[in-house]
């Protein structure tokens, strides 16, 4: 584990080599206690987007970005280097990588988790992007400098905090709306709270820009058995976030 200012922290995991094909937007389900120390509470595994990925000749290493919000994330924060955890993955539908830019990446708080890996994928494909990163306060802008470096030289990082203290004061949708009005972007990719994603879907429709969002819907199993992560769709049916998502087109979800 790599320490971060609480309530945010990261977990680094050594996983099978064939997990190197993980794409931005996919996730894993991770047990909160070591295999050697099973516990009934919390009982369910927790879902985390893959935040970063690195490869070696013999293995793959993934990194997860977490925020302490309850018993599960608090238990994971107590894990130590060398402990073995039960992890199920890789799971879910990833983001669709565009052929060209510029595009806008939008993250709210811990919603930056899949956007870091997406930024790396865009850099590797030569797709330019601006990264819009918002939070309630400066502590919610994890890895801000690294994200800014990834966006350069063709793009930039725009940060906002509702309480001030980092970046501009206000909501991240405000500077994004200005640039959408200038027809700057070919697409929007986002992850964050439901309210943020709903507002982004409105902006995308208003300006005729397609977009995708990685939803933060709570999941019980991660593979469609429990039916606990149903998402209302515009088509009138419900889609399971773990199988049909977590990445959905903005215009597919009934926000």
């Amino acid at each position: 584990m790599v320490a971060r200012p609480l309530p945010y922290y990261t977990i680094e995991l050594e996983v099978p080599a064939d997990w190197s094909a993980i794409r931005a937007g996919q996730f894993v389900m991770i047990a909160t206690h070591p295999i050697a120390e099973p516990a009934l509470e919390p009982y369910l595994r927790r879902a985390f987007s893959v935040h970063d990925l690195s490869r070696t000749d013999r293995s793959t290493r993934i990194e997860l970005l977490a925020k302490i919000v309850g018993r599960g994330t608090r238990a994971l924060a107590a894990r130590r280097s060398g402990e073995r955890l039960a992890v199920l993955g890789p799971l879910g539908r990833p983001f669709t990588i565009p052929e060209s830019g510029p595009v806008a990446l939008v993250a709210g708080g811990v919603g930056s988790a899949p956007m870091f890996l997406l930024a790396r994928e865009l850099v590797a494909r030569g797709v330019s992007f601006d990264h819009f990163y918002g939070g309630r306060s400066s502590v919610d802008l994890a890895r801000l400098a690294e994200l800014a470096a990834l966006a350069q030289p063709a793009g930039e990082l725009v940060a906002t905090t509702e309480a001030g203290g980092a970046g501009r004061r206000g909501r991240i949708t405000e500077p994004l709306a200005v640039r959408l009005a200038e027809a700057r972007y070919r697409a929007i990719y986002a992850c964050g709270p439901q309210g943020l994603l709903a507002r982004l879907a409105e902006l995308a429709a208003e300006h005729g820009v397609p977009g995708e969002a990685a939803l933060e819907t709570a999941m019980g199993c991660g593979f469609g058995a429990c039916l606990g992560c149903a998402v209302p769709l515009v088509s009138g049916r419900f889609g399971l976030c773990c199988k049909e998502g977590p990445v959905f087109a903005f215009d597919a979800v009934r926000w």
Side-chain angles (χ1 to χ4, degrees):
M1 184 190 304
V2 178
R4 300 284 180 193
L6 292 178
Y8 291 88
Y9 61 94
T10 59
I11 300 173
E12 294 181 356
L13 300 170
E14 293 287 344
V15 296
D18 60 2
W19 285 31
S20 62
I22 287 174
R23 295 270 311 284
Q26 290 187 291
F27 67 97
V28 299
M29 299 291 294
I30 180 172
T32 60
H33 290 272
I35 293 174
E37 301 173 17
L40 290 178
E41 289 290 337
Y43 179 72
L44 296 175
R45 300 185 187 190
R46 297 307 196 255
F48 290 94
S49 295
V50 177
H51 181 56
D52 204 1
L53 173 72
S54 59
R55 306 171 179 88
T56 67
D57 293 338
R58 301 177 59 184
S59 68
T60 296
R61 174 175 291 182
I62 63 173
E63 187 174 345
L64 313 177
L65 176 66
K67 178 183 180 180
I68 296 177
V69 295
R71 291 177 299 172
T73 46
R74 186 172 293 107
L76 280 170
R79 304 285 60 86
R80 294 293 177 261
S81 178
E83 292 180 333
R84 299 183 65 211
L85 301 174
V87 182
L88 177 66
L91 302 166
R93 174 181 176 272
F95 287 103
T96 303
I97 302 299
E99 295 183 357
S100 60
V103 299
L105 307 189
V106 187
V110 77
S112 65
M115 311 312 290
F116 193 88
L117 184 55
L118 179 58
R120 287 199 186 280
E121 291 184 7
L122 294 177
V123 169
R125 297 283 187 93
V127 177
S128 61
F129 63 91
D130 289 334
H131 199 137
F132 294 82
Y133 195 4
R136 291 183 178 178
S137 66
S138 59
V139 75
D140 293 307
L141 304 182
R143 305 189 80 168
L144 185 65
E146 293 166 271
L147 286 167
L150 282 171
Q152 297 174 350
E156 66 173 314
L157 184 139
V158 179
T160 65
T161 48
E162 295 176 26
R168 308 176 188 182
R169 189 183 184 94
R171 299 181 182 273
I172 197 60
T173 50
E174 295 165 1
L176 175 66
V178 172
R179 298 196 183 188
L180 285 173
E182 298 170 351
R184 290 204 186 189
Y185 304 116
R186 298 173 62 92
I188 304 170
Y189 299 89
C191 184
Q194 186 81 356
L196 169 63
L197 300 182
R199 176 56 180 151
L200 291 174
E202 291 178 352
L203 288 172
E206 179 183 340
H207 296 283
V209 178
E212 293 182 343
L215 274 58
E216 296 183 335
T217 306
M219 300 181 191
C221 68
F223 50 86
C226 71
L227 307 180
C229 60
V231 175
L233 303 178
V234 172
S235 64
R237 66 181 185 86
F238 286 82
L240 294 181
C241 190
C242 64
K243 296 189 70 174
E244 297 180 50
V247 176
F248 290 88
F250 281 151
D251 59 6
V253 178
R254 182 156 46 89
W255 302 100

